[in-house]
């Protein structure tokens, strides 16, 4: 075991998989010599060379479109989109091409590929360096969407994603890139892409979170305990396909649900989770489910801490659910 | 719009030069003669005629309401058959959606194509895509998407991957004049130029993008000159001249395989039909615009060439038409008696393994009421 932060753990996963499988290619803006603007790909260019760690022209559509072609050839491209806020020029290639290739070709053309991109706010990045766009990708059939919260999961989930036969969007919560530290095994291991994890067991209220907001949920849980409310916190890890069993099992136990995400509320992923819980466990609910999310506004710069669904907003929602 | 008059001019300065191989009398110029045997020309001619007959029969099937749609290649047979012929067995082609004749020539089975036109249970795309959006990996031919230009960056990535893996191949991508306006054209040309990918960009400049003429796609004099800005060598070719198309495509393929990087080919041709069976070109272009192109019909030109050499007779023509008609009728009969894809197949291939929510939705569909027959 080694102490690592998220950046180091993801870097470790990339290095390990590139050494193991020469089909794995990293490409993107500034991923080469400088090692990425967050240094996630640091050292890979020196180790694997120009053909496998590629600084590309500044065009997200070009990066993803050519990466899809590489995947069709049989490589395993791991393109980086520098900030998820920049992903939209590649949206057509992701949701209408990459996500549909296996289906539209009757299985003749699968695409094994992972798009890595930092997500989320709280880093003084303003609208164009802070968004958390999972819902826009979950809605389109054919993609898997992953968002780890800690170094152990980040490494294991990335290795699993690269080896997964389907295209994966790998969202990296940049607010905790360096803040989240933990023990990470050396060498190879994977974390199951179909399983959420219970980060804290409790019996009164279920809080569902992922990425950087997991820590806000855990903080709210500690404070709720001081008020006599026993909170269970689920870290989804893989957002889609959702581990519905873990969610339903918890809600059946607690009867109360709070869903947390940074993205705007309306048509956000929380709405889908609440709907699924209502369909599958409605008569186990003791209180109306509550969503604690970003507001339905563009992501603000100066007031970003008021935008984010931090602990101080999760706590009253948990108390409200518990008391209902 | 490129007029035949401009098309026949060979005296313009670059990049306006247009490569021709066939003279009006059917003889070949020494400079661009691809050196085909008479038998090869006969075979190519047969593929061109076969493409046209199938095109015409598919339009009829659509008019009869037996298939939903067809997007044809009337008038563009030399551009399509010639360029596909120039690609070697190890090479790959990323199609637009108007090049089925090339796929058939590369081994895509007529029955499989017709099964796709009907979207039946034998369709390799499992009835998930509309007609002409077939898939045939075994012909080293990409899967087809409707949005314009998306195949271009993918084709560049494919060629780039081959280069990274040190495999010698060329990857040709088809697109129309309209696609040159897309961001994909820019991305594809730029990445191909920067990374010197073994790519052949084959632009079928057929004058029209549905109802919009080329003057509304670009203020450039030619599409070929766009290559200059990307550092991609380009060439204009008479797209209705089978021999010239083969010559310039072969040169581009050779350059790609030799590590010389990409080439942009602008093939000047004309969409003699509508954009698709859903389109009526008489609403936006003059009928007399077609006439000069009929005189330069790419199939007629090859026939004149063969007949001048005594290598093609009216009897052979008749026999060919009868043969293709028979094959087509048989394929349609088979396709029409093949059932639609199973209901459960709708939920397959979304992912490699079916997740819980698709299993659940599949069960909901199977246990629910059936939809009324819409068409």
């Amino acid at each position: 075991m080694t102490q690592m932060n998220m950046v180091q753990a993801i870097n470790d996963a990339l290095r390990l998989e590139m050494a193991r499988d020469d089909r794995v290619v990293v490409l993107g803006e500034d991923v080469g010599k400088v090692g990425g603007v967050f240094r996630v790909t640091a050292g890979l260019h020196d180790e694997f060379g120009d053909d496998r760690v590629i600084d590309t022209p500044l065009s997200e559509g070009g990066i993803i479109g050519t990466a899809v072609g590489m995947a069709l050839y049989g490589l395993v491209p791991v393109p980086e989109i520098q900030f998820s806020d920049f992903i939209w020029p590649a949206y057509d290639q992701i949701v209408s091409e990459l996500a549909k290739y296996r289906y539209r070709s009757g299985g003749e053309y699968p695409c094994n590929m992972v798009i890595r991109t930092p997500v989320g706010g709280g880093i003084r990045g303003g609208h164009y360096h802070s968004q958390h766009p999972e819902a826009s990708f979950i809605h389109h059939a054919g993609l898997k969407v992953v968002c780890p919260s800690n170094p152990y999961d980040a490494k294991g989930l990335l290795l699993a994603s690269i080896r997964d036969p389907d295209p994966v969007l790998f969202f990296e919560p940049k607010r905790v890139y360096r803040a989240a530290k933990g023990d990470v095994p050396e060498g190879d291991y994977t974390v199951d892409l179909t399983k959420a994890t219970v980060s804290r067991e409790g019996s009164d209220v279920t809080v569902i979170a992922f990425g950087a907001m997991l820590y806000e949920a855990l903080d709210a849980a500690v404070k709720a305990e001081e008020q006599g409310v026993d909170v269970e916190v689920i870290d989804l890890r893989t957002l889609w396909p959702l581990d519905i069993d873990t969610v339903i099992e918890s809600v059946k136990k607690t009867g109360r649900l709070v869903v947390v995400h940074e993205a705007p509320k309306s048509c956000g992923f929380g709405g889908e989770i609440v709907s699924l819980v209502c369909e599958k466990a409605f008569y186990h609910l003791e209180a109306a489910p509550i969503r604690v999310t970003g507001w339905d506004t563009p992501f603000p710069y100066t007031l970003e801490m008021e935008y984010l669904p931090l602990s101080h907003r999760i706590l009253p929602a948990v108390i409200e659910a518990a008391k209902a | 719009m490129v007029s035949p008059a401009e098309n026949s001019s060979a005296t313009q300065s670059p990049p306006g030069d247009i490569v021709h191989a066939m003279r009006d009398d059917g003889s070949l110029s020494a400079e661009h003669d691809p050196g085909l045997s008479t038998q090869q020309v006969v075979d190519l001619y047969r593929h061109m005629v076969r493409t046209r007959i199938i095109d015409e029969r598919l339009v009829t099937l659509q008019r009869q309401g037996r298939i939903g749609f067809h997007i044809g290649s009337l008038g563009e047979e030399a551009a399509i058959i010639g360029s596909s012929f120039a690609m070697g067995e190890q090479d790959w082609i990323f199609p637009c959606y108007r090049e089925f004749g090339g796929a058939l020539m590369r081994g895509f089975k007529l029955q499989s194509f017709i099964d796709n036109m009907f979207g039946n249970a034998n369709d390799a795309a499992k009835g998930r895509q509309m007609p002409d959006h077939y898939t045939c990996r075994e012909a080293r031919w990409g899967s087809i998407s409707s949005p314009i230009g998306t195949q271009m960056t993918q084709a560049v990535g494919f060629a780039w991957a081959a280069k990274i893996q040190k495999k010698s191949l060329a990857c040709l991508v088809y697109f129309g004049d309209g696609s040159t306006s897309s961001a994909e054209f820019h991305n594809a040309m730029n990445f191909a130029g920067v990374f010197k990918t073994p790519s052949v960009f084959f632009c079928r400049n057929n004058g029209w993008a549905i109802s919009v003429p080329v003057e509304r796609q670009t203020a450039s004099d030619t599409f070929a000159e766009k290559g200059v800005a990307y550092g991609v060598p380009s060439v204009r070719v008479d797209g209705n001249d089978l021999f010239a198309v083969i010559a310039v495509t072969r040169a581009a393929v050779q350059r790609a395989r030799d590590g010389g990087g990409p080439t942009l080919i602008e093939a000047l041709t004309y969409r003699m039909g509508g954009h698709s069976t859903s389109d009526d070109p008489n609403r936006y272009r003059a009928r007399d615009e077609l006439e000069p192109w009929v005189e330069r019909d790419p199939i007629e030109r090859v026939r004149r060439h063969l007949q001048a050499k005594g290598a093609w007779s009216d009897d052979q023509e008749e026999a060919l038409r009868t043969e293709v008609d028979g094959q087509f009728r048989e394929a349609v009969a088979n396709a029409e008696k093949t059932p639609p894809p199973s209901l459960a197949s709708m939920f397959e291939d979304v992912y490699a393994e079916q997740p819980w929510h698709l299993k659940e939705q599949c069960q909901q569909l199977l246990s629910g009421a059936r939809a009324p027959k819409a068409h």
Side-chain angles (χ1 to χ4, degrees):
Chain A
M1 291 283 188
T2 313
Q3 272 275 314
M4 287 189 189
N5 62 31
M6 295 270 276
V7 168
Q8 293 164 326
I10 294 166
N11 180 275
D12 192 39
L14 288 170
R15 176 176 285 106
L16 201 139
E17 198 61 2
M18 291 188 78
R20 196 186 74 91
D21 183 349
D22 69 4
R23 299 173 307 153
V24 178
V25 170
V26 166
L27 67 158
E29 296 157 8
D30 306 298
V31 298
K33 286 183 182 147
V34 76
V37 296
F38 290 101
R39 306 291 178 265
V40 173
T41 56
L44 298 180
H45 182 265
D46 284 347
E47 191 167 342
F48 299 103
D50 263 343
D51 274 353
R52 295 186 61 201
V53 184
I54 307 163
D55 278 325
T56 64
L58 226 164
S59 168
E60 289 76 15
I63 292 165
I64 300 300
T66 53
V68 171
M70 289 179 173
L72 294 171
Y73 180 86
L75 298 188
V76 184
V78 186
E80 174 181 299
I81 298 295
Q82 199 161 76
F83 286 83
S84 67
D85 314 79
F86 306 163
I87 206 167
W88 307 111
Y91 196 51
D92 183 47
Q93 282 286 348
I94 296 170
V95 304
S96 198
E97 298 289 319
L98 176 64
K100 303 301 183 276
Y101 247 106
R102 178 190 295 279
Y103 191 78
R104 82 182 202 205
S105 68
E108 276 195 350
Y109 285 106
C111 285
N112 183 353
M113 161 167 163
V114 179
I115 300 172
R116 292 182 38 252
T117 186
V119 292
I123 58 135
R124 300 188 64 75
H127 180 71
Y128 297 108
H129 299 81
S130 301
Q131 295 166 86
H132 215 302
E134 65 277 355
S136 299
F137 295 92
I138 290 168
H139 186 64
H140 291 271
L143 298 170
K144 292 182 176 173
V145 181
V146 174
C147 185
S149 67
N150 62 73
Y152 177 91
D153 283 352
K155 179 176 173 182
L157 288 168
L158 183 55
L159 287 170
S161 297
I162 296 173
R163 294 170 196 177
D164 193 272
D166 294 311
V168 178
L169 273 138
F170 196 84
F171 287 145
E172 300 171 0
K174 57 183 173 290
R175 187 173 178 231
V176 294
Y177 251 156
R178 293 173 194 281
K181 296 190 180 81
D183 284 338
V184 175
E186 285 163 32
D188 194 357
Y189 69 96
T190 58
V191 171
D192 190 340
L193 288 178
T194 67
K195 296 280 184 248
T197 186
V198 178
S199 294
R200 175 198 162 105
E201 288 191 20
S203 56
D204 295 337
V205 179
T206 299
V207 176
I208 295 178
F210 50 89
M213 290 304 103
L214 178 77
Y215 301 97
E216 300 297 326
L218 290 170
D219 184 65
V222 170
K223 288 171 177 153
E225 194 172 16
E226 293 164 8
Q227 300 183 40
V229 177
D230 188 17
V231 177
E232 176 147 303
V233 178
I234 295 177
D235 179 0
L236 288 181
R237 304 198 289 200
T238 294
L239 310 188
W240 201 257
L242 176 69
D243 176 5
I244 191 69
D245 293 341
T246 297
V247 171
I248 296 300
E249 192 185 333
S250 178
V251 171
K252 282 183 175 170
K253 178 170 68 176
T254 64
R256 295 156 204 278
L257 175 65
V258 173
V259 183
V260 180
H261 59 63
E262 295 184 32
K265 185 174 188 178
S266 298
C267 288
F269 185 39
E272 184 58 39
I273 294 171
V274 168
S275 294
L276 284 166
V277 167
C278 286
E279 285 172 5
K280 293 174 185 301
F282 186 74
Y283 295 106
H284 292 270
L285 287 172
E286 309 275 350
I290 299 173
R291 289 175 284 170
V292 185
T293 69
W295 308 113
D296 286 348
T297 67
F299 194 101
Y301 175 69
T302 305
L303 298 178
E304 69 172 336
M305 290 317 211
E306 295 295 338
Y307 178 92
L308 290 168
L310 303 180
S311 169
H312 69 281
R313 283 172 55 203
I314 301 169
L315 178 62
V318 166
I319 301 301
E320 182 189 333
K323 301 258 165 84
Chain B
M1 233 294 297
V2 177
S3 72
E6 183 193 347
N7 205 354
S8 61
S9 160
T11 56
Q12 295 171 45
S13 56
D17 278 349
I18 298 166
V19 174
H20 299 273
M22 211 185 323
R23 300 190 190 93
D24 286 347
D25 65 2
S27 64
L28 298 178
S29 72
E31 191 187 355
H32 299 296
D33 181 354
L36 306 176
S37 70
T38 301
Q39 186 56 48
Q40 282 178 310
V41 181
V42 168
D43 288 345
L44 288 163
Y45 175 75
R46 290 171 61 90
H47 282 295
M48 291 169 72
V49 172
R50 188 176 189 225
T51 302
R52 173 137 335 158
I53 294 172
I54 292 168
D55 244 329
E56 291 167 351
R57 297 293 179 275
L58 288 171
V59 171
T60 304
L61 282 187
Q62 192 276 337
R63 299 292 184 237
Q64 292 169 341
R66 292 159 75 186
I67 59 173
F69 175 83
H70 176 54
I71 187 155
S73 49
L74 195 67
E76 300 180 49
E77 294 89 349
I80 293 162
I81 296 296
S83 52
S84 286
F85 173 76
M87 304 303 289
E89 207 175 313
Q90 78 275 27
D91 300 322
W92 281 73
I93 293 178
F94 277 61
C96 167
Y97 41 57
R98 213 184 276 288
E99 298 95 5
F100 73 89
L104 293 173
M105 185 171 65
R106 281 177 70 86
F108 185 35
K109 291 186 176 56
L110 177 63
Q111 185 64 60
S112 302
F113 177 44
I114 301 302
D115 285 332
N116 167 260
M117 298 303 296
F118 282 85
N120 65 26
N122 289 337
D123 172 19
K126 303 185 183 174
R128 293 167 184 157
Q129 290 229 69
M130 64 191 296
D132 292 303
H133 292 57
Y134 50 86
T135 184
C136 52
R137 189 178 186 124
E138 64 177 348
R140 299 198 168 209
W141 192 273
S143 143
I144 296 174
S145 172
S146 307
I148 287 302
T150 52
Q151 77 280 12
M152 299 181 71
T153 43
Q154 294 165 11
V156 169
F158 192 97
W160 190 3
K163 184 181 177 184
I164 288 169
Q165 296 265 297
K166 308 209 173 356
K167 295 285 191 301
S168 174
L169 62 75
C171 182
L172 180 145
V173 58
Y174 287 117
F175 54 100
D177 39 280
S179 297
T180 63
S181 299
S182 72
E184 300 282 359
F185 174 82
H186 167 69
N187 286 333
M189 291 286 290
N190 194 41
F191 275 63
V194 168
F195 295 102
K196 286 209 175 323
T197 62
S199 300
V200 180
F201 292 92
F202 195 94
C203 176
R204 291 180 292 91
N205 175 2
N206 65 16
W208 293 90
I210 304 190
S211 68
V212 179
V214 293
E215 294 85 356
R216 281 293 171 97
Q217 302 300 341
T218 184
S220 299
D221 288 336
T222 71
F223 291 109
E225 71 194 62
K226 289 172 185 272
V228 176
Y230 299 103
V232 175
S234 56
V235 58
R236 298 181 94 201
V237 62
D238 176 353
N240 283 17
D241 178 338
L242 177 72
F243 302 93
V245 168
I246 292 170
V248 301
T249 312
R250 274 185 174 171
V253 167
Q254 201 54 50
R255 188 215 307 276
R257 287 198 203 127
D258 291 347
T263 305
L264 169 61
I265 298 170
E266 178 186 357
L268 297 156
T269 182
Y270 190 74
R271 198 192 73 206
M272 292 174 77
H275 167 73
S276 72
T277 51
S278 308
D279 181 36
D280 173 12
N282 294 323
R283 294 173 68 89
Y284 52 82
R285 69 184 187 193
R287 284 169 199 266
D288 58 8
E289 186 184 303
L290 181 62
E291 280 164 26
W293 288 95
V294 172
E295 287 170 23
R296 300 182 63 77
D297 184 314
I299 292 179
E300 298 297 326
R301 288 171 75 184
V302 180
R303 181 161 50 219
R304 282 200 293 271
H305 170 87
L306 285 172
Q307 285 177 335
K309 295 176 80 172
W312 191 253
S313 67
D314 290 348
D315 287 349
Q316 283 172 294
E317 182 80 16
E318 189 59 35
L320 172 60
R321 288 178 176 277
T322 306
E323 178 191 325
V324 175
D325 261 337
Q327 291 168 345
F328 184 81
R329 268 200 300 273
E330 185 188 341
V332 169
N334 289 337
E336 282 191 312
K337 69 184 179 216
T338 303
S342 71
L343 290 173
S345 76
M346 199 196 312
F347 299 89
E348 294 162 4
D349 301 322
V350 182
Y351 299 96
E353 277 182 50
Q354 200 170 45
W356 66 270
H357 66 291
L358 292 177
K359 286 186 182 139
E360 195 176 279
Q361 289 171 24
C362 183
Q363 281 311 310
Q364 285 168 3
L365 176 77
L366 293 176
S367 61
R370 295 283 66 79
K373 211 170 160 56
H375 44 252

